Amino acid sequence: MSAAFPQENLPSVLAGPMLRRLETRRLVLWLVGTRRLAPVLRLRVNGDSADHRLEGEACRVIPFGRHAFLHLIDLRLDSPLPQDQQIDYDLLIDDQGIADWGPHLVYGETQQPSFVLRSRIDQLLHGSCRKPHYPAHDGLLCADRLLAASPAPEQRPALLMQSGDQVYADDVAGPMLRAIHQLIERLGLLGERLEGAVVSDSAALYSHPANYYHRADLLPALESNETLRERFFGGARKPIFTSSNAENHLVTLAEMLAMYLLVWSPVPWTLIETRMPALGPKETERYRLEEARLEGFRAGLPGVARVFAHLPTLMIFDDHDVTDDWNLSAQWELTAYGHPFSRRIIGNALLAYMLCQGWGNNPDAFAEVLDQAEALAATAAADNHLDSQSLDGLIGSLLSFNRWQYVLPTTPALLVLDTRTRRWRSEINLKRPSGLLDWEALSELQQELLDHPSAIIVSPAPVFGVKLIETVQRVFSAFGHPLLVDAENWMAHRGSAQVILNIFRHSRTPGSYVILSGDVHYSFVYEVLIRHRQQGPKIWQITSSGIKNEFPRRLLDVFDRLNRWLYSPRSPLNWFTKRRPMKVVPRTPEHSKVGERLWNSAGLGQVFFDAQGRPSRIFQLNANGAEPTEFREERDDEPAGQPVTRRV
């Protein structure tokens, strides 16, 4: 441990507060401290202040290291808070307020953060895919600039929805992995023993020569002489659509939790000295490149933490939160869960997701697994290593857990789908891609939608995607290579495709749907109508490009052009797709090239809703500082795809 940072100088708070699910009578916040804190939440409403001691059920504390304590704050209020007006708050720790212990969390001359409880969702932000070392600006800083420029309560978004890949556990830069290991040592994060691995425990993993850029070599072989790397990480290289790698794949729970701290807060970075480990010439060159890219990411973290302290944030996982192609097919599941080491890797990522993301969406769903997590943490009191049997037992509970999805009782209703763990597996061919939701989950979705006038559905992968790209995925799947092209879309499985489309056509489901998606690293907006039905529902598929990730630009231009030629709304090829009962009309991104439908720029999506819950304006906020891009309806009196100069 570096002598430059004695333990007594550790800050009280490592990350947070992060506002999660906020309601008029209930406030849910997430915080990580270096010790067990006794915080006091001070709320200021209409000039009156009230202090709330956060203890007992109002603040559950789970230690995951000698100097790392997760604080899950769930405060229930006797009297409801007002809606549509600014509520200032402070979190007092040892009688010090946020302006003292976290000055980067406040705007301008204010002394504390604030939030607004909206009576309806009239505006929201959404995005996914935040890869720290990708060479693009951080899209979450779009929200920081928006909040700084729009202090009025009525101008604030109702929430920030992150729809997957909030972290990349499977694609980690060398400097980030180095920072993770230094933070593990600095905070004394809990170790674990590893069954079925080349290394015996987490300490042996961190010190192994293959620890950086060669981690896949540490995975054991299967009895078939096919390596676990080939089976478990078989989809790591995807020359068609994207390129990722498993060479620095996170393995231990400590690594997963350290990653969350480092991507959500600037404070942990101040506790470490990122010295490059011993590497070969090729790895050294790559390390230096990734190090330069991470500098910009680190510089933006104060703004990211500020957004989380002011804007209610909801989340759902996608594959990279756990591992690439997570549960893509039944064959993938048999391989990954059939070996103790790969099962542990997946389980650790899912446990970290539950503690850092899942709980805050719907705390009531996680009471039992949180009890298990507390009991697990207690097993490490003696030697700072988790008990393997207890850890495997908790992982087993999480792998069978089916309450990751959730519904917010908002106006319009917000339904967030778990398209990863409740899949419709192919019974004919185990290698074929699974449906994104099984029959039972789809039936539950339909019940939740009944009799709502409008609804917002969050599906990490678009329900209505780019048909040409889906066709390419279908071809690769037919030849037995779905991993090569991320063949995960709603239309890839006949059963789930037919059921989800029938739900949209049901007479008692909403008259208007908005589907928010990400995953694909480009933005587009489709308006979808039911053919031959004048009074049928109207659907908007709104997809936002990566928060900090993008699609290969030249390849996307080719796909965009070919898709316009082959699958225009009047093309007869549409009748050979599963969406033939639907008419799909694309919107045009402002400032685009002539005819362009797909917008490729890291950032955040912004959607405004009218009183009926229908989208009135749709934007992509560009992380590079360019003007927001509006997706507009084409008028009959202007050529298709003609650029306009309308300003936001």
Side-chain angles (χ1 to χ4, degrees):
M1 186 174 296
S2 173
F5 300 106
Q7 294 295 355
E8 57 267 22
N9 292 337
L10 285 173
S12 297
V13 176
L14 289 167
M18 178 187 289
L19 302 179
R20 298 304 315 278
R21 184 165 174 166
L22 302 188
E23 300 173 353
T24 57
R25 289 181 177 269
R26 189 177 188 181
L27 304 178
V28 177
L29 293 82
W30 181 91
L31 181 83
V32 179
T34 56
R35 53 188 169 87
R36 191 178 294 268
L37 305 174
V40 175
L41 181 63
R42 175 171 294 169
L43 299 176
R44 186 174 180 85
V45 183
N46 297 324
D48 297 325
S49 296
D51 288 354
H52 302 269
R53 290 199 170 276
L54 302 176
E55 52 192 9
E57 292 297 318
C59 184
R60 196 163 189 172
V61 181
I62 300 177
F64 56 89
R66 292 191 179 99
H67 305 284
F69 292 78
L70 181 63
H71 293 67
L72 304 178
I73 298 169
D74 186 1
L75 177 63
R76 297 175 185 268
L77 302 168
D78 295 330
S79 301
L81 293 172
Q83 294 180 312
D84 299 322
Q85 69 179 67
Q86 180 171 310
I87 299 172
D88 296 325
Y89 77 95
D90 209 342
L91 201 63
L92 305 179
I93 297 173
D94 300 331
D95 296 324
Q96 286 191 323
I98 290 177
D100 297 314
W101 58 258
H104 61 283
L105 298 173
V106 298
Y107 286 102
E109 300 299 320
T110 60
Q111 294 301 303
Q112 62 277 312
S114 61
F115 60 85
V116 177
L117 300 172
R118 305 307 302 267
S119 57
R120 70 179 182 89
I121 299 178
D122 60 355
Q123 177 196 166
L124 60 72
L125 301 176
H126 71 110
S128 67
C129 307
R130 183 167 173 254
K131 183 174 173 179
H133 59 285
Y134 187 81
H137 297 283
D138 194 338
L140 287 181
L141 296 179
C142 296
D144 185 48
R145 293 190 289 268
L146 186 70
L147 291 172
S150 305
E154 65 274 10
Q155 295 177 327
R156 285 203 195 184
L159 57 93
L160 167 63
M161 182 72 233
Q162 296 190 76
S163 58
D165 302 341
Q166 282 67 253
V167 298
Y168 276 68
D170 61 329
D171 192 351
V172 182
M176 177 64 82
L177 186 59
R178 182 64 168 167
I180 286 170
H181 291 155
Q182 290 179 317
L183 192 63
I184 289 172
E185 181 183 4
R186 184 78 172 93
L187 300 176
L189 300 190
L190 299 176
E192 62 189 90
R193 295 167 183 84
L194 301 172
E195 181 186 351
V198 173
V199 291
S200 60
D201 60 14
S202 51
L205 171 67
Y206 306 153
S207 61
H208 196 280
N211 187 38
Y212 292 96
Y213 297 114
H214 297 284
R215 282 196 157 196
D217 296 338
L218 301 178
L219 297 173
L222 299 171
E223 292 181 0
S224 63
N225 293 324
E226 184 181 15
T227 66
L228 192 64
R229 173 193 173 116
E230 292 168 340
R231 294 283 295 277
F232 183 45
F233 295 133
R237 301 193 179 278
K238 303 179 181 61
I240 302 298
F241 282 82
T242 186
S243 177
S244 60
N245 65 80
E247 294 160 333
N248 287 330
H249 199 299
L250 301 185
V251 170
T252 67
L253 179 60
E255 288 180 335
M256 308 284 184
L257 293 171
M259 167 68 95
Y260 279 102
L261 297 177
L262 290 165
V263 301
W264 283 352
S265 173
V267 177
W269 290 96
T270 67
L271 306 180
I272 56 178
E273 297 174 338
T274 52
R275 304 178 302 274
M276 186 174 66
L279 298 171
K282 184 178 180 180
E283 288 80 8
T284 297
E285 182 180 0
R286 178 175 170 183
Y287 188 99
R288 293 300 187 196
L289 175 62
E290 292 171 342
E291 192 173 43
R293 291 174 176 175
L294 280 173
E295 281 300 316
F297 176 79
R298 289 178 56 181
L301 284 174
V304 171
R306 196 160 45 239
V307 169
F308 290 151
H310 285 78
L311 198 58
T313 301
L314 299 166
M315 307 171 184
I316 191 62
F317 46 48
D318 206 9
D319 56 348
H320 295 292
D321 292 288
V322 176
T323 192
D324 200 14
D325 300 319
W326 180 30
N327 292 347
L328 182 139
S329 66
Q331 179 64 50
W332 191 101
E333 293 186 49
L334 289 171
T335 299
Y337 300 126
H339 195 283
F341 189 40
S342 53
R343 180 184 174 93
R344 174 68 66 82
I345 293 172
I346 298 167
N348 281 337
L350 198 53
L351 175 53
Y353 170 84
M354 187 271 287
L355 294 173
C356 298
Q357 298 194 59
W359 170 85
N361 298 321
N362 184 18
D364 293 339
F366 295 91
E368 292 184 11
V369 289
L370 276 183
D371 288 341
Q372 286 184 264
E374 274 190 312
L376 172 66
T379 66
D383 62 355
N384 210 45
H385 273 66
L386 296 166
D387 176 72
S388 294
Q389 185 174 355
S390 299
L391 178 54
D392 289 338
L394 176 52
I395 288 173
S397 297
L398 292 175
L399 293 178
S400 61
F401 188 76
N402 67 352
R403 299 184 65 187
W404 301 108
Q405 75 283 348
Y406 54 98
V407 180
L408 263 63
T410 49
T411 303
L414 180 72
L415 296 86
V416 182
L417 305 184
D418 164 17
T419 60
R420 280 287 160 189
T421 75
R422 304 187 67 185
R423 293 201 154 187
W424 194 331
R425 298 166 184 86
S426 174
E427 297 178 359
I428 300 174
N429 185 345
L430 297 182
K431 292 185 178 182
R432 291 182 64 85
S434 299
L436 300 194
L437 282 182
D438 63 18
W439 171 264
E440 182 179 357
L442 286 164
S443 297
E444 293 174 9
L445 170 63
Q446 183 170 24
Q447 289 300 312
E448 293 287 356
L449 287 170
L450 289 178
D451 301 321
H452 283 290
S454 59
I456 302 170
I457 299 175
V458 178
S459 170
V463 176
F464 299 91
V466 177
K467 292 179 181 178
L468 176 65
I469 295 178
E470 291 180 353
T471 300
V472 172
Q473 292 172 328
R474 184 177 178 182
V475 170
F476 272 78
S477 298
F479 283 97
H481 300 289
L483 291 169
L484 288 177
V485 290
D486 268 336
E488 297 179 281
N489 63 74
W490 279 91
M491 301 302 122
H493 186 278
R494 182 181 300 274
S496 60
Q498 290 178 342
V499 174
I500 190 71
L501 295 179
N502 286 336
I503 288 174
F504 291 142
R505 289 152 45 179
H506 193 285
S507 61
R508 287 181 55 201
T509 49
S512 61
Y513 295 92
V514 174
I515 305 169
L516 301 179
S517 302
D519 180 54
V520 294
H521 304 166
Y522 49 85
S523 303
F524 62 91
V525 176
Y526 291 158
E527 294 184 32
V528 184
L529 301 172
I530 309 297
R531 295 183 187 273
H532 313 303
R533 279 181 59 182
Q534 297 297 321
Q535 303 300 320
K538 191 170 183 180
I539 304 165
W540 288 264
Q541 171 68 67
I542 303 175
T543 304
S544 177
S545 57
I547 292 175
K548 200 175 188 301
N549 214 334
E550 295 172 338
F551 200 94
R553 193 166 299 277
R554 291 184 179 179
L555 186 59
L556 187 65
D557 289 343
V558 171
F559 281 143
D560 193 0
R561 190 175 300 112
L562 289 174
N563 189 71
R564 295 197 306 270
W565 292 344
L566 298 175
Y567 291 99
S568 68
R570 297 181 180 88
S571 170
L573 290 179
N574 292 314
W575 290 95
F576 297 97
T577 71
K578 296 183 179 69
R579 296 194 293 263
R580 55 185 174 273
M582 309 278 190
K583 180 181 180 181
V584 180
V585 181
R587 284 197 178 188
T588 303
E590 192 178 21
H591 314 130
S592 68
K593 302 173 186 176
V594 174
E596 192 175 46
R597 298 291 185 269
L598 308 179
W599 184 254
N600 194 8
S601 175
L604 277 179
Q606 182 182 30
V607 186
F608 292 85
F609 296 85
D610 64 18
Q612 287 73 44
R614 300 171 300 195
S616 55
R617 301 189 76 181
I618 304 167
F619 296 92
Q620 180 69 19
L621 307 180
N622 297 300
N624 60 11
E627 292 187 17
T629 300
E630 183 170 8
F631 286 85
R632 60 187 181 84
E633 296 181 82
E634 291 182 356
R635 300 196 305 268
D636 294 336
D637 59 346
E638 64 183 19
Q642 181 66 34
V644 296
T645 56
R646 191 185 308 126
R647 302 296 184 187
V648 177

